[in-house]
Amino acid sequence: MSHAIQDQRPVRARRARAGGSLTRGGLPRWAPAATAVLSTLLGCAAGLAFGLQSKVQWGLIAALLFVAATYASSAVVENTRQAKDRVATSVIWVCFLLAVIPLVSLLWTTLSRGMKVLTGHFLTHSMNGVTGFEPGGGVYHALLGTVQQVALATLIAAPIGLLTAVYLVEYGKGRLAKAVTFFVDVMTGIPSIVAGLFILTTWNLMLGFGPSGFAGAMALSILMMPVVVRSTEEMLKLVPNELREAALALGVPKWRMILKVVLPTAVGGISTGLMLAVARIAGETAPIMLLVFGSQLINGNPFEGAQSSLPLYIWEQYKVGSDASYDRAWAAALVLIAFVMILNLVARGIARWKAPKTGR
Amino acid sequence: MAKRIDVSGLSAFYGTHKAIDDISMTVEPHSVTAFIGPSGCGKSTFLRTLNRMHEVTPGGRVEGKVLLDDENLYGPGVDPVAVRRTVGMVFQRPNPFPTMSIFENVAAGLRLNGGHRRQDLSDIVERSLRGANLWNEVKDRLHKPGSGLSGGQQQRLCIARAIAVEPEVLLMDEPCSALDPISTLAIEDLIGELKERFTIVIVTHNMQQAARVSDRTAFFNLAAVGQPGKLIEIDETDRIFSNPSVQATEDYISGRFG
Ligand SMILES: Nc1ncnc2c1ncn2[C@@H]1O[C@H](COP(=O)(O)OP(=O)(O)O)[C@@H](O)[C@H]1O
Ligand SMILES: [Mg+2]
């Protein structure tokens, strides 16, 4: 028996090589690129020939042609398994392009329209004394407001969220944990305007405080908390149980084990989750409108008086509807994107710096 | 130093599933006791009941008594943290903390519990690494990550980490099963030395290892899959391997089943 099996192996290997699947004979390496170029050209030609208006239709024709041509050419030159493989690959590429095109076009529009007025002056001045229709003015008051509101919201939501996640993963069992999980899920679904209204009725109407950056930050923290809890929970669950046991077996109390072993091991993922949460609230407009009210002036005190914020500023400028205000809106959008991007890079830096080190 | 363990009528459960049933045995101080038996017969579970690590698993529950020099580990008011400081543990797979250097790994048990001066700490780290026969290999790279060591070195690092907190008893759950023969030999030699200072209990699937390192050997078995594991017999290692009193033990050792 064993002889027969041993004898067969080399034969099969040889046959496979003779069949060419090891050398991947057939289509050259540039074939996919050539197919792509060809099908794009054909797609454009077909679009022109049939007088199709929408460029989307051109693109779809090109994409379909690409997939079909890939399958046909591979099935003819190679075998059907290779053809299926190539079709799967090309479908992934088409989907990738479909997903990337809107992103690139968004970035391009924001960049090209926003760069026009994005200067040092724009970043360091408020709209004080500038009417919506004339050029000039700046975004400083809104940037300051966004930074302060987001920072305050993070200060509120991050500790509560982290501690909740630690409770759920390390301690929680039974009714209370189930209830907490349920309410976190419910909170995930709260529309931002509802969070704003909640703070408006309690903080402003019942307790009688005026509009302030802090009120906005509280609403933002309601939106941020469930995201932090969820992402941190997932990251903590990824920490291997063996590490927890190793620490406990040393006679380390549980809270120290969590602080010194579990959290440091998961810190990379936790900070990424925090950043996603920050990115989510940095673009919120509705609660800011209700609670921070908006202002054309610089107000450096988030605890008193109306402030502005970048999303609100963009909306206001868009509403004015003049050429100058449109330019300002796009420039502010660019500032907002850059703000989130920089935060993201900082978080990645921290994650990489703190992540478990490997190697010698 | 080195305490006696006295187990009587101990059963352990995972939720409703009974994993080990009514185990009684005595482990003398300064001795090495080996646990052998087929997989799933509850050796790990039993070992983990000896330092209250069993209850860390969700649903884990224990009935019976474990006396450590006349003090019941499962008595009312006993602090599991204190128990684990007294009864250390080394796991099957080397598990150095990935965020810590070699030095920090060894110091972890002490530092995580606070209250040690820097100089004391480096003395203890050196002593523990020497105790684990690892000092010469790592003394030049104490501040590099522990995950950069070989498997055998990592396991000795884990042993150093366990003995740094000066326990009385050291539990080892198949400490060599992930290691090559040379690293295994290094750890077996180490067990012989550690016996001077600690009471050692070791789970192993390797008969020769049990015969080489242990003074006494306990054989566990289970009637059928899904049944709880039982202690079949415990005796001097020489006796178990030459002339066991139960037929099942002889069958297992000579490889006739299991
Ligand atoms: N975490 C767990 N949850 C539920 N059952 C478990 C768990 N760990 C082990 N068991 C069960 O307990 C029994 C004994 O397992 P274990 O102590 O690991 O055996 P051994 O170490 O002797 O191979 C087995 O039946 C196993 O299925
Ligand atoms: Mg086991």
Side-chain angles (χ1 to χ4, degrees), chain B residues 14 17 19 38-46 57 173-174 203 205:
Chain B
Y14 290 100
H17 172 63
S39 273
C41 68
K43 305 179 297 293
S44 302
T45 307
F46 180 56
T57 4
D173 192 353
E174 302 182 35
V203 175
H205 278 300

Side-chain angles (χ1 to χ4, degrees), chain B residues 35 43-51 171-173 201 203:
Chain B
F35 291 175
K43 305 179 297 293
S44 302
T45 307
F46 180 56
L47 197 72
R48 290 160 64 93
T49 61
L50 298 183
N51 67 344
L171 309 175
M172 300 179 159
D173 192 353
V201 182
V203 175

Side-chain angles (χ1 to χ4, degrees), chain A residues 217-232:
Chain A
M218 282 194 291
L220 293 181
S221 70
I222 293 178
L223 298 173
M224 188 175 175
M225 232 176 281
V227 185
V228 176
V229 174
R230 265 295 133 107
S231 59
T232 309

